PDB file of all heavy atoms in Angstrom:
ATOM      1  N   GLU A 213      78.409 105.984 154.034  1.00 85.00           N
ATOM      2  CA  GLU A 213      78.619 106.666 152.759  1.00 85.00           C
ATOM      3  C   GLU A 213      79.439 107.934 152.958  1.00 85.00           C
ATOM      4  O   GLU A 213      80.359 108.228 152.188  1.00 85.00           O
ATOM      5  CB  GLU A 213      77.281 107.000 152.112  1.00 85.00           C
ATOM      6  CG  GLU A 213      77.408 107.666 150.756  1.00 85.00           C
ATOM      7  CD  GLU A 213      76.067 107.929 150.096  1.00 85.00           C
ATOM      8  OE1 GLU A 213      75.035 107.589 150.693  1.00 85.00           O
ATOM      9  OE2 GLU A 213      76.065 108.483 148.985  1.00 85.00           O
ATOM     10  N   GLN A 214      79.128 108.679 154.024  1.00 85.00           N
ATOM     11  CA  GLN A 214      79.874 109.906 154.292  1.00 85.00           C
ATOM     12  C   GLN A 214      81.317 109.591 154.667  1.00 85.00           C
ATOM     13  O   GLN A 214      82.255 110.276 154.251  1.00 85.00           O
ATOM     14  CB  GLN A 214      79.196 110.690 155.424  1.00 85.00           C
ATOM     15  CG  GLN A 214      79.855 112.031 155.709  1.00 85.00           C
ATOM     16  CD  GLN A 214      79.824 112.954 154.508  1.00 85.00           C
ATOM     17  OE1 GLN A 214      78.764 113.183 153.911  1.00 85.00           O
ATOM     18  NE2 GLN A 214      80.983 113.482 154.127  1.00 85.00           N
ATOM     19  N   ALA A 215      81.505 108.540 155.483  1.00 78.00           N
ATOM     20  CA  ALA A 215      82.858 108.149 155.883  1.00 78.00           C
ATOM     21  C   ALA A 215      83.695 107.757 154.672  1.00 78.00           C
ATOM     22  O   ALA A 215      84.883 108.085 154.585  1.00 78.00           O
ATOM     23  CB  ALA A 215      82.784 106.996 156.882  1.00 78.00           C
ATOM     24  N   ALA A 216      83.071 107.060 153.725  1.00 77.00           N
ATOM     25  CA  ALA A 216      83.796 106.655 152.515  1.00 77.00           C
ATOM     26  C   ALA A 216      84.200 107.871 151.687  1.00 77.00           C
ATOM     27  O   ALA A 216      85.300 107.929 151.134  1.00 77.00           O
ATOM     28  CB  ALA A 216      82.933 105.706 151.684  1.00 77.00           C
ATOM     29  N   GLU A 217      83.323 108.851 151.608  1.00 81.00           N
ATOM     30  CA  GLU A 217      83.634 110.060 150.840  1.00 81.00           C
ATOM     31  C   GLU A 217      84.761 110.858 151.489  1.00 81.00           C
ATOM     32  O   GLU A 217      85.524 111.544 150.810  1.00 81.00           O
ATOM     33  CB  GLU A 217      82.385 110.927 150.711  1.00 81.00           C
ATOM     34  CG  GLU A 217      81.300 110.313 149.831  1.00 81.00           C
ATOM     35  CD  GLU A 217      80.062 111.180 149.759  1.00 81.00           C
ATOM     36  OE1 GLU A 217      80.032 112.223 150.449  1.00 81.00           O
ATOM     37  OE2 GLU A 217      79.121 110.822 149.028  1.00 81.00           O
ATOM     38  N   ASP A 218      84.874 110.772 152.827  1.00 80.00           N
ATOM     39  CA  ASP A 218      85.873 111.549 153.547  1.00 80.00           C
ATOM     40  C   ASP A 218      87.252 110.897 153.548  1.00 80.00           C
ATOM     41  O   ASP A 218      88.243 111.540 153.930  1.00 80.00           O
ATOM     42  CB  ASP A 218      85.427 111.761 154.998  1.00 80.00           C
ATOM     43  CG  ASP A 218      84.218 112.682 155.092  1.00 80.00           C
ATOM     44  OD1 ASP A 218      83.945 113.401 154.123  1.00 80.00           O
ATOM     45  OD2 ASP A 218      83.539 112.657 156.143  1.00 80.00           O
ATOM     46  N   LEU A 219      87.349 109.642 153.141  1.00 77.00           N
ATOM     47  CA  LEU A 219      88.645 108.974 153.156  1.00 77.00           C
ATOM     48  C   LEU A 219      89.578 109.594 152.118  1.00 77.00           C
ATOM     49  O   LEU A 219      89.138 110.017 151.042  1.00 77.00           O
ATOM     50  CB  LEU A 219      88.478 107.484 152.843  1.00 77.00           C
ATOM     51  CG  LEU A 219      87.865 106.608 153.937  1.00 77.00           C
ATOM     52  CD1 LEU A 219      87.646 105.198 153.413  1.00 77.00           C
ATOM     53  CD2 LEU A 219      88.766 106.568 155.172  1.00 77.00           C
ATOM     54  N   PRO A 220      90.873 109.660 152.420  1.00 77.00           N
ATOM     55  CA  PRO A 220      91.825 110.197 151.431  1.00 77.00           C
ATOM     56  C   PRO A 220      91.898 109.296 150.213  1.00 77.00           C
ATOM     57  O   PRO A 220      91.757 108.075 150.307  1.00 77.00           O
ATOM     58  CB  PRO A 220      93.152 110.217 152.197  1.00 77.00           C
ATOM     59  CG  PRO A 220      92.989 109.198 153.284  1.00 77.00           C
ATOM     60  CD  PRO A 220      91.537 109.243 153.670  1.00 77.00           C
ATOM     61  N   ARG A 221      92.097 109.885 149.060  1.00 76.00           N
ATOM     62  CA  ARG A 221      92.175 109.141 147.807  1.00 76.00           C
ATOM     63  C   ARG A 221      93.617 109.112 147.312  1.00 76.00           C
ATOM     64  O   ARG A 221      94.319 110.132 147.347  1.00 76.00           O
ATOM     65  CB  ARG A 221      91.279 109.763 146.739  1.00 76.00           C
ATOM     66  CG  ARG A 221      89.796 109.707 147.073  1.00 76.00           C
ATOM     67  CD  ARG A 221      89.269 108.287 147.025  1.00 76.00           C
ATOM     68  NE  ARG A 221      87.831 108.221 147.206  1.00 76.00           N
ATOM     69  CZ  ARG A 221      87.238 107.962 148.351  1.00 76.00           C
ATOM     70  NH1 ARG A 221      87.968 107.770 149.431  1.00 76.00           N
ATOM     71  NH2 ARG A 221      85.925 107.886 148.435  1.00 76.00           N
ATOM     72  N   VAL A 222      94.055 107.957 146.866  1.00 76.00           N
ATOM     73  CA  VAL A 222      95.393 107.799 146.320  1.00 76.00           C
ATOM     74  C   VAL A 222      95.261 107.222 144.917  1.00 76.00           C
ATOM     75  O   VAL A 222      94.564 106.226 144.708  1.00 76.00           O
ATOM     76  CB  VAL A 222      96.251 106.865 147.199  1.00 76.00           C
ATOM     77  CG1 VAL A 222      97.626 106.674 146.571  1.00 76.00           C
ATOM     78  CG2 VAL A 222      96.385 107.431 148.603  1.00 76.00           C
ATOM     79  N   ALA A 223      95.899 107.837 143.955  1.00 75.00           N
ATOM     80  CA  ALA A 223      95.848 107.345 142.576  1.00 75.00           C
ATOM     81  C   ALA A 223      96.560 106.007 142.484  1.00 75.00           C
ATOM     82  O   ALA A 223      97.629 105.824 143.069  1.00 75.00           O
ATOM     83  CB  ALA A 223      96.495 108.352 141.631  1.00 75.00           C
ATOM     84  N   PRO A 224      95.980 105.022 141.787  1.00 68.00           N
ATOM     85  CA  PRO A 224      96.636 103.720 141.653  1.00 68.00           C
ATOM     86  C   PRO A 224      97.889 103.825 140.815  1.00 68.00           C
ATOM     87  O   PRO A 224      98.023 104.748 139.998  1.00 68.00           O
ATOM     88  CB  PRO A 224      95.574 102.864 140.951  1.00 68.00           C
ATOM     89  CG  PRO A 224      94.739 103.847 140.195  1.00 68.00           C
ATOM     90  CD  PRO A 224      94.713 105.083 141.051  1.00 68.00           C
ATOM     91  N   PRO A 225      98.828 102.912 140.991  1.00 68.00           N
ATOM     92  CA  PRO A 225     100.032 102.911 140.144  1.00 68.00           C
ATOM     93  C   PRO A 225      99.654 102.824 138.672  1.00 68.00           C
ATOM     94  O   PRO A 225      98.642 102.222 138.311  1.00 68.00           O
ATOM     95  CB  PRO A 225     100.786 101.659 140.601  1.00 68.00           C
ATOM     96  CG  PRO A 225     100.273 101.389 141.982  1.00 68.00           C
ATOM     97  CD  PRO A 225      98.840 101.833 141.992  1.00 68.00           C
TER      98      PRO A 225
END
Side-chain angles (χ1 to χ4, degrees):
E213 182 177 0
Q214 184 61 52
E217 292 178 356
D218 291 342
L219 287 174
R221 296 291 186 263
V222 178

